[in-house]
Amino acid sequence: NAGVTQTPKFRVLKTGQSMTLLCAQDMNHEYMYWYRQDPGMGLRLIHYSVGEGTTAKGEVPDGYNVSRLKKQNFLLGLESAAPSQTSVYFCASTLEVLGANVLTFGAGSRLTVL
Amino acid sequence: GQNIDQPTEMTATEGAIVQINCTYQTSGFNGLFWYQQHAGEAPTFLSYNVLDGLEEKGRFSSFLSRSKGYSYLLLKELQMKDSASYLCAAMDSNYQLIWGAGTKLIIKP
């Protein structure tokens, strides 16, 4: 099993460009999440999904859009990239949120916006 | 507001014991998680506490006091490979995780 796979691993964008980060999981997990991680700050939730066809806003959703057309895939889009979106992005998934349900993270996508 | 506090950085010696503290304030509480994150890698799960007390798992133990909003991660017999950041996260009443900024642990020989 591959677990959670994120693509691309690295990307450099110019301000105003758009791009999509892809997250794929092969564990049949219902819940999927997109986080960003910045120096000196905790992981911040951007958007999440509780099942195929559903999405919801997290703590820092502005400037991002998501889609969950298939259960195994969760896409994160940047509509018009800004330097403030320079970050490391992590996708995570879990089967359910009750009890000690562990998040499985992807390897991360490092995005630089110039 | 909801908040997690943990030290930014700690240094310890190989073979020693280190305790990483975490205090939390959340709207409701559904458990406390510890994750390990090596530099440039993804976080990986270490422990989960939902009831007061100590949970031991090999060289790692985690403690929770719900009345004090406090947890700690105890690492024994430190090894160089334990050099990493340790992330504390509390789950609130909506089952959302609130993450601390992480504690960078430096192990010296």
Side-chain angles (χ1 to χ4, degrees):
Chain A
N1 284 347
V4 178
T5 303
Q6 289 181 231
T7 53
K9 287 185 169 49
F10 301 94
R11 183 75 187 269
V12 178
L13 287 178
K14 294 181 179 179
T15 297
Q17 287 184 318
S18 62
M19 74 160 295
T20 300
L21 297 176
L22 171 63
C23 176
Q25 53 94 4
D26 61 2
M27 299 170 286
N28 202 35
H29 283 175
E30 290 292 338
Y31 294 77
M32 297 188 74
Y33 306 84
W34 275 108
Y35 286 96
R36 60 178 289 173
Q37 187 175 43
D38 301 293
M41 303 183 74
L43 288 164
R44 290 185 292 168
L45 184 63
I46 304 170
H47 286 280
Y48 64 101
S49 169
V50 302
E52 180 180 313
T54 74
T55 62
K57 293 180 180 180
E59 180 187 357
V60 288
D62 294 342
Y64 305 94
N65 56 71
V66 287
S67 64
R68 183 111 182 258
L69 299 179
K70 293 183 179 181
K71 186 176 184 178
Q72 63 267 35
N73 295 336
F74 194 30
L75 279 62
L76 177 72
L78 279 70
E79 300 150 344
S80 177
S84 61
Q85 294 178 304
T86 293
S87 187
V88 180
Y89 292 86
F90 285 101
C91 176
S93 71
T94 189
L95 187 60
E96 59 181 28
V97 294
L98 300 178
N101 285 295
V102 175
L103 286 177
T104 301
F105 284 86
S109 298
R110 184 175 294 275
L111 176 66
T112 301
V113 183
L114 302 176
Chain B
Q2 306 197 100
N3 191 53
I4 303 280
D5 284 318
Q6 53 182 130
T8 302
E9 187 174 296
M10 298 181 71
T11 301
T13 304
E14 190 177 15
I17 299 173
V18 71
Q19 177 175 312
I20 303 174
N21 296 325
C22 169
T23 58
Y24 65 89
Q25 288 181 306
T26 54
S27 302
F29 179 74
N30 280 299
L32 193 292
F33 294 79
W34 285 95
Y35 282 76
Q36 181 189 57
Q37 185 177 25
H38 285 101
E41 298 183 9
T44 56
F45 172 77
L46 285 177
S47 69
Y48 170 75
N49 295 67
V50 67
L51 299 177
D52 290 350
L54 188 68
E55 294 277 346
E56 297 186 75
K57 192 185 296 185
R59 293 190 298 114
F60 292 9
S61 302
S62 55
F63 172 83
L64 176 68
S65 168
R66 288 172 297 170
S67 63
K68 295 181 179 178
Y70 168 69
S71 173
Y72 68 72
L73 181 69
L74 191 71
L75 290 74
K76 301 177 186 177
E77 301 169 13
L78 286 170
Q79 302 175 10
M80 297 305 292
K81 67 179 182 179
D82 297 330
S83 293
S85 288
Y86 291 86
L87 313 182
C88 173
M91 183 171 278
D92 68 12
S93 57
N94 293 320
Y95 298 98
Q96 297 287 355
L97 284 171
I98 311 302
W99 295 84
T103 298
K104 182 178 181 181
L105 178 63
I106 299 168
I107 310 296
K108 296 186 173 180

